């Protein structure tokens, strides 16, 4: 996603994403909507609520704040609408952490 076109055509455009996981999180949300686990409206409401809460708590208007909201909203909807309980999420996170910690630097993490 390109946010703007620079005035200097030799300057590469700035990407909306700082990290690949950010694009993956939005793609996952879109996949969940397309699969019918929650609606686009529910996604928009959940993300909007998280961003509003972050603003009320004094979080800066940055990509980090936005993508933190994306993750929180996605996790909430996965639990409440897609039927993935917190215990399963916690176990999967632990599995990934173990795999990550046992993977040599520069090698892909395999779960």
């Amino acid at each position: 996603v390109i946010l703007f076109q620079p005035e200097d055509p030799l300057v590469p455009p700035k990407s909306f994403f700082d990290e690949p996981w950010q694009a993956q999180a939005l793609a996952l949300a879109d996949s969940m909507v397309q699969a019918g686990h929650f609606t686009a409206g529910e996604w928009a409401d959940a993300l909007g609520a998280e961003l509003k809460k972050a603003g009320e708590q004094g979080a800066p208007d940055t990509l980090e704040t936005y993508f933190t909201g994306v993750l929180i909203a996605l996790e909430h909807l996965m639990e409440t609408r897609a039927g993935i309980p917190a215990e399963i999420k916690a176990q999967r996170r632990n599995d990934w952490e173990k795999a990550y910690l046992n993977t040599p630097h520069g090698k892909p993490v395999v779960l």
Side-chain angles (χ1 to χ4, degrees):
V1 174
I2 297 174
L3 292 180
F4 66 95
Q5 187 64 25
E7 290 182 26
D8 182 349
L10 299 178
V11 175
K14 179 177 174 10
S15 171
F16 180 69
F17 306 109
D18 286 336
E19 301 288 338
W21 71 263
Q22 296 168 338
Q24 293 166 343
L26 290 177
L28 179 58
D30 183 59
S31 294
M32 298 292 282
V33 168
Q34 297 303 316
H37 294 293
F38 45 84
T39 68
E42 289 169 325
W43 167 244
D45 290 345
L47 179 55
E50 289 304 323
L51 297 176
K52 180 180 179 187
K53 186 182 342 177
E56 290 169 349
Q57 294 172 349
D61 186 9
T62 63
L63 282 180
E64 182 177 350
T65 299
Y66 177 79
F67 283 106
T68 297
V70 166
L71 292 178
I72 294 169
L74 187 55
E75 285 186 350
H76 173 74
L77 287 172
M78 290 176 77
E79 186 173 332
T80 61
R81 298 289 294 139
I84 301 171
E87 300 81 32
I88 297 295
K89 288 190 313 185
Q91 182 60 51
R92 183 54 59 104
R93 185 190 187 290
N94 288 336
D95 292 346
W96 272 107
E97 186 173 346
K98 285 179 190 174
Y100 172 78
L101 293 173
N102 290 309
T103 300
H105 180 72
K107 300 291 183 186
V109 177
V110 177
L111 183 62

